[in-house]
């Protein structure tokens, strides 16, 4: 196995906005678009999850991209390799910057996703600015309260061997990914501001805890989107990151 690929995150992580992913976890397309426009100043990436994608997120991708977001398509693809590869090829032709696939699917499935994206990129070669979709392997869901260290390490190693650009894992799991830090984007969901409810998550972290553990991108949803004043909540999130830097 090779772990010496250049770090694949193109955008510098110089400001709080550079690190933040807005999770639009809803089935309401209009509400998602409205929230995205409201918070574009505070988040660089917008995440379209499975619920929203099924509701018509295919069309929302262009709306988000037009708002200036990098789009994170969080579908956690998990099927036979041929199906995953073809699905990845479809997504790779859209204005999507990040796509998730579940590492539980195994090496061949992950490789098929990598190959599908590569095929999509090759078909765009004549474009002056072709889209490049980064593939992120989901390791263990943050809703799981207990994690096998061996299983986690195995899935991280599979992601690297398959050629994925990064991983998605809970902040406490990042200590087991440190030896891959130079070759993987580390994306952490389950981010909560101090005092926030953890809802259906089990392994959550504050933004600073996640960054200190090695996170590159932080996925934030309910702490901001369900706040009485989402803009004020987003400003508090930025203040938290600046004050604890």
């Amino acid at each position: 196995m090779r772990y010496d690929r250049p770090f694949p995150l193109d955008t510098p992580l110089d400001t709080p906005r550079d690190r933040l992913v807005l999770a639009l976890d809803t089935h309401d397309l209009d509400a998602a678009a409205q929230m995205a426009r409201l918070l574009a100043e505070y988040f660089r990436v917008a995440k379209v999850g499975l619920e929203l994608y099924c509701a018509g997120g295919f069309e929302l991708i262009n709306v988000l991209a037009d708002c200036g977001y990098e789009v994170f398509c969080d579908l956690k693809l998990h099927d036979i390799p041929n199906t995953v590869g073809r699905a990845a090829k479809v997504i790779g032709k859209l204005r999507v910057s990040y796509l998730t696939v579940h590492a539980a699917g195994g090496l061949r499935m992950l490789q098929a996703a990598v190959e599908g994206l590569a095929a999509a990129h090759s078909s765009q070669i004549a474009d002056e600015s072709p889209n490049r979709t980064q593939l992120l392997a989901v390791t263990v869901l943050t809703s799981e309260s207990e994690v096998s260290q061996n299983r986690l390490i195995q899935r991280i190693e599979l992601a690297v061997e398959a050629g994925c650009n990064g991983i998605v894992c809970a902040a406490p799991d990042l200590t087991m990914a440190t030896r891959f830090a130079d070759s993987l984007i580390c994306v952490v969901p389950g981010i909560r501001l101090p005092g926030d409810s953890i809802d259906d998550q089990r392994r959550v972290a504050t933004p600073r805890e996640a960054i200190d553990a090695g996170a590159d991108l932080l996925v934030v949803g309910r702490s901001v989107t369900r706040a009485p004043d989402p803009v004020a909540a987003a400003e508090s999130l930025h203040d938290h990151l600046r004050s604890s830097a």
Side-chain angles (χ1 to χ4, degrees):
M1 299 182 193
R2 295 187 60 188
Y3 305 126
D4 57 352
R5 295 193 315 282
F7 184 66
L9 189 60
D10 296 330
T11 304
L13 303 177
D14 296 332
T15 69
R17 181 179 182 274
D18 293 334
R19 292 185 177 272
L20 293 175
V21 180
L22 176 63
L24 298 168
D25 295 327
T26 177
H27 65 275
D28 189 324
L29 294 173
D30 290 337
Q34 182 178 1
M35 184 66 69
R37 293 187 181 101
L38 181 67
L39 298 173
E41 177 183 348
Y42 301 95
F43 292 83
R44 178 171 63 85
V45 183
K47 184 176 80 73
V48 176
L50 184 60
E51 178 186 14
L52 186 56
Y53 190 83
C54 290
F58 197 83
E59 298 175 0
L60 183 64
I61 287 170
N62 284 331
V63 174
L64 296 173
D66 287 341
C67 288
Y69 285 101
E70 294 179 15
V71 180
F72 182 153
C73 204
D74 186 22
L75 300 183
K76 300 181 180 68
L77 300 178
H78 188 177
D79 210 311
I80 62 172
N82 187 52
T83 297
V84 168
R86 291 187 178 188
K89 185 176 180 180
V90 171
I91 297 296
K93 294 180 179 179
L94 304 178
R95 299 166 71 184
V96 170
S97 296
Y98 303 95
L99 170 66
T100 56
V101 60
H102 207 303
L107 179 61
R108 183 66 196 100
M109 191 199 74
L110 294 176
Q111 290 173 331
V114 171
E115 293 162 5
L117 288 180
H121 299 160
S122 295
S123 70
Q124 297 171 321
I125 198 78
D127 194 326
E128 292 182 358
S129 56
N131 183 67
R132 302 290 294 183
T133 305
Q134 307 268 38
L135 188 66
L136 307 174
V138 177
T139 55
V140 180
L141 300 179
T142 53
S143 58
E144 296 188 35
S145 57
E146 296 183 5
V147 179
S148 162
Q149 180 172 329
N150 289 338
R151 180 176 59 171
L152 178 62
I153 291 175
Q154 179 188 43
R155 289 181 179 177
I156 295 172
E157 290 178 339
L158 285 174
V160 176
E161 185 176 1
C164 296
N165 302 102
I167 57 172
V168 179
C169 68
D173 301 342
L174 284 175
T175 55
M176 287 171 251
T178 53
R179 64 186 170 122
F180 310 109
D182 291 336
S183 60
L184 290 174
I185 302 168
C186 293
V187 181
V188 174
I191 298 298
R192 298 289 190 274
L193 284 169
D196 284 351
S197 170
I198 66 172
D199 300 303
D200 58 345
Q201 306 295 317
R202 292 295 176 268
R203 291 173 299 126
V204 301
T206 67
R208 177 45 51 186
E209 288 170 343
I211 290 173
D212 288 345
D216 298 305
L217 300 179
L218 311 176
V219 181
V220 182
R222 285 168 275 197
S223 291
V224 171
T225 60
R226 295 188 184 178
D229 185 341
V231 170
E235 289 176 347
S236 294
L237 176 60
H238 277 230
D239 289 341
H240 169 85
L241 287 169
R242 283 191 291 261
S243 65
S244 54

